[in-house]
Amino acid sequence: MFKKDFKNLKNRVPLRNSEILALRRGIASRFVLSEEESSLLVPSSLLSAKFLTHLELSGTVVFDSEGTPIWFQNGTGRLVHTELVPTVYTLWKRVFLPVFTTPQMVIDKLRDGADLMAPGVISIRPSHFRQLPMEEGELVCIAAYSQDGDQPPVAVGQLGMSTKKIEETGKGKAVLTLHTYGDTLWQKGGKQEPPKEITIVSLSAAVEEPEPQIHAPQTEVNEPTAGLSEGGTSSSNHQLSQAQANPVETLAASDVDDILRNALLYYIHASFESLSFPYSASVLYAEGILPFRPSDVNPSEAVIKNSSFKKLKPFLKSIEKDGILKLKEMGGELNIMAVDEQHPDIQGVKKYRTLVDEDKREAKARAIEESQAANAKVMTIQELYKPIGSTTALFNAVKTSSTSQYSIIQLRDDVLSKYISEHSLTHPIERGYFKIDETLKKVLLKKNESEEFLRRDDGLQRLIGACQPWYEIRQEGRVPELRKGKPSPVSVIIKTRQGKRAVTLVTNFELFFLLADQLSEDLRKLCAAQTSISPVLGKPNLMEVLVQGKQGKAVTDYLLEHGIPKKWIEVDDTTEKKKGK
């Protein structure tokens, strides 16, 4: 999937704290991970970027604060924990997926874009949460077979057929490869090599961990057998006993039913005004039900699979029967179409401390620490330009890459001046002018222009205008980021609302690694004033932080303390303009 470079990788956008917490809770529930493990695999300060592969496949990559890709999702929809796929970087921290092993020579073919064929499977190691048999489409990882012990995963994929079919036929594609060590996605990180040691997520101490099921070949390792059953373990031995497969639960299924139902009602009661329909059922579960469970329950127990319903759809159907919401399947996905806010069960909800309340408190503490650590580390923003269209001919003429980005000085010295010198185009008398030849005419002149000479500074400005704008932003302790487009300064606007009441509006701060939730909270404390967050009109991906009162100086000082250069802060006090009139 990522064999060749991305056709398009958009700018990285910071995820909101609420989104990160929802993904962390969802991942913990989906893969049965502890709080410590889920925090390691879904850390704070994440960024996402939309991509388009060379095969025209779209999706989203999630990067950590160091610029390492840790998760990805196929499709154009919003990030949903049920669709996320871990990268090898994530699996090198904790191995939590079932592991298929194969000879090293097969691994080399996987890195070239091949899928894992059934004859190449040497063993299947179940994971702590998923035992055999497994069905087509389930996520697994692939590692090299070794008699010396467990090796780090080097590929991630989906089962192309059930493990039962792999065992019975020994033919066909066992695993459809999605991502491998060494591919383009891996290259977007730190290009780390596989670790020598790995940590495999295990069952609880009370449950004996199953041994990997190996159908060792009768010949050498580099000549794998075609089937799973011959020379190996029978399918019955692949499965754990019921006691092994399910750790002891302290909550009864009926208790889990009540917890999830109350969490749903509380979420609707607290968030009804912000809900928009249709609303994906899987998103509702991840962002609504799971975070609104009581803080005193074990998150790994109070999940839908431990309820009497076992799956989300029948659970929501039961809520629909009570007249609380209406459901409809659209495009194969269950959606909530409407909610009866006046239903007695919603109106009678009793408040309690939720998991999301605890997460917010912890997130605030972590954000404050990160904010303090980032202080005084001044950012640098360098504007760059990339040749595009007709301008590439000029770059090719001076044997300079037409796919790289250049500073203004590089455009002047390494491209325009070099071309003028190599082609003897300098005006014989006025050295500040140069002659326009056919190549320069296509790049620097408009269709209706016929100038024979141009000033060098004018030619440079025209060349800049003909190139595609980019910029690079750097700050100590962060991975430099290269982004397409022109950078916009942080906008701080002071205006009056509802008569004489002044407010301060802050926008365009996301470019400078600031998150709306943290900015709002910091300014609330700093200014001792009420704050709020809302999407920027016409730009739903950008947020606006509103602070009550005229807070221009306080906001500016805050931005400077966080390393934003003064030239990238614009303050506009519209209340003073009105007084001047």
Side-chain angles (χ1 to χ4, degrees), residues 315-332:
F315 168 71
L316 292 178
K317 285 286 187 181
S318 71
I319 306 296
E320 184 180 38
K321 286 182 180 180
D322 293 339
I324 296 174
L325 47 78
K326 292 184 180 179
L327 303 173
K328 182 178 180 181
E329 287 205 25
M330 302 169 61

Side-chain angles (χ1 to χ4, degrees), residues 107-243:
I107 295 291
D108 297 335
K109 293 182 179 180
L110 297 180
R111 294 179 62 179
D112 290 333
D115 295 317
L116 178 60
M117 307 302 289
V121 178
I122 294 181
S123 70
I124 304 175
R125 180 192 179 95
S127 71
H128 66 291
F129 75 98
R130 191 65 182 93
Q131 309 302 318
L132 299 178
M134 296 174 61
E135 301 302 321
E136 179 182 347
E138 293 193 50
L139 276 183
V140 298
C141 59
I142 305 170
Y145 173 78
S146 174
Q147 294 181 338
D148 296 330
D150 298 308
Q151 299 299 305
V154 291
V156 185
Q158 291 178 306
L159 284 180
M161 62 179 79
S162 67
T163 52
K164 183 178 180 181
K165 190 172 182 181
I166 294 174
E167 181 183 54
E168 291 175 348
T169 66
K171 298 179 181 180
K173 295 183 177 181
V175 181
L176 306 178
T177 307
L178 298 175
H179 155 59
T180 66
Y181 152 67
D183 66 10
T184 294
L185 184 59
W186 169 84
Q187 293 174 13
K188 293 300 177 182
K191 297 185 179 180
Q192 302 168 17
E193 295 299 314
K196 294 182 179 180
E197 297 181 355
I198 56 174
T199 301
I200 300 174
V201 178
S202 61
L203 297 170
S204 64
V207 182
E208 183 180 354
E209 184 176 351
E211 290 294 320
Q213 308 303 317
I214 300 177
H215 57 288
Q218 300 300 312
T219 57
E220 296 180 1
V221 172
N222 60 2
E223 295 178 6
T225 57
L228 286 174
S229 56
E230 292 185 11
T233 308
S234 67
S235 61
S236 61
N237 289 335
H238 279 304
Q239 302 180 46
L240 297 176
S241 66
Q242 187 66 26

Side-chain angles (χ1 to χ4, degrees), residues 174-381:
V175 181
L176 306 178
T177 307
L178 298 175
H179 155 59
T180 66
Y181 152 67
D183 66 10
T184 294
L185 184 59
W186 169 84
Q187 293 174 13
K188 293 300 177 182
K191 297 185 179 180
Q192 302 168 17
E193 295 299 314
K196 294 182 179 180
E197 297 181 355
I198 56 174
T199 301
I200 300 174
V201 178
S202 61
L203 297 170
S204 64
V207 182
E208 183 180 354
E209 184 176 351
E211 290 294 320
Q213 308 303 317
I214 300 177
H215 57 288
Q218 300 300 312
T219 57
E220 296 180 1
V221 172
N222 60 2
E223 295 178 6
T225 57
L228 286 174
S229 56
E230 292 185 11
T233 308
S234 67
S235 61
S236 61
N237 289 335
H238 279 304
Q239 302 180 46
L240 297 176
S241 66
Q242 187 66 26
Q244 288 176 309
N246 297 296
V248 178
E249 298 175 6
T250 58
L251 289 175
S254 58
D255 294 330
V256 176
D257 293 349
D258 292 339
I259 289 171
L260 297 181
R261 190 177 192 279
N262 291 335
L264 173 60
L265 297 177
Y266 193 179
Y267 174 67
I268 294 173
H269 178 76
S271 312
F272 180 77
E273 292 183 359
S274 63
L275 297 180
S276 59
F277 303 100
Y279 192 173
S280 166
S282 59
V283 175
L284 171 67
Y285 181 67
E287 297 186 358
I289 298 175
L290 293 181
F292 274 74
R293 291 171 296 173
S295 60
D296 57 355
V297 303
N298 186 337
S300 63
E301 292 181 13
V303 292
I304 195 68
K305 70 175 184 178
N306 293 335
S307 69
S308 63
F309 301 97
K310 302 302 180 185
K311 293 186 177 181
L312 183 61
K313 184 175 180 179
F315 168 71
L316 292 178
K317 285 286 187 181
S318 71
I319 306 296
E320 184 180 38
K321 286 182 180 180
D322 293 339
I324 296 174
L325 47 78
K326 292 184 180 179
L327 303 173
K328 182 178 180 181
E329 287 205 25
M330 302 169 61
E333 183 177 8
L334 188 65
N335 287 268
I336 291 83
M337 306 303 294
V339 170
D340 181 7
E341 184 196 12
Q342 301 302 319
H343 193 282
D345 289 359
I346 295 178
Q347 292 297 314
V349 164
K350 294 182 179 180
K351 293 184 178 181
Y352 54 83
R353 179 166 289 277
T354 66
L355 290 173
V356 74
D357 293 332
E358 294 297 320
D359 287 339
K360 285 180 179 179
R361 187 167 63 179
E362 294 174 5
K364 286 180 182 179
R366 285 194 301 268
I368 290 173
E369 292 177 1
E370 293 170 2
S371 176
Q372 292 172 344
N375 284 348
K377 296 178 181 178
V378 179
M379 300 178 195
T380 58
I381 297 93

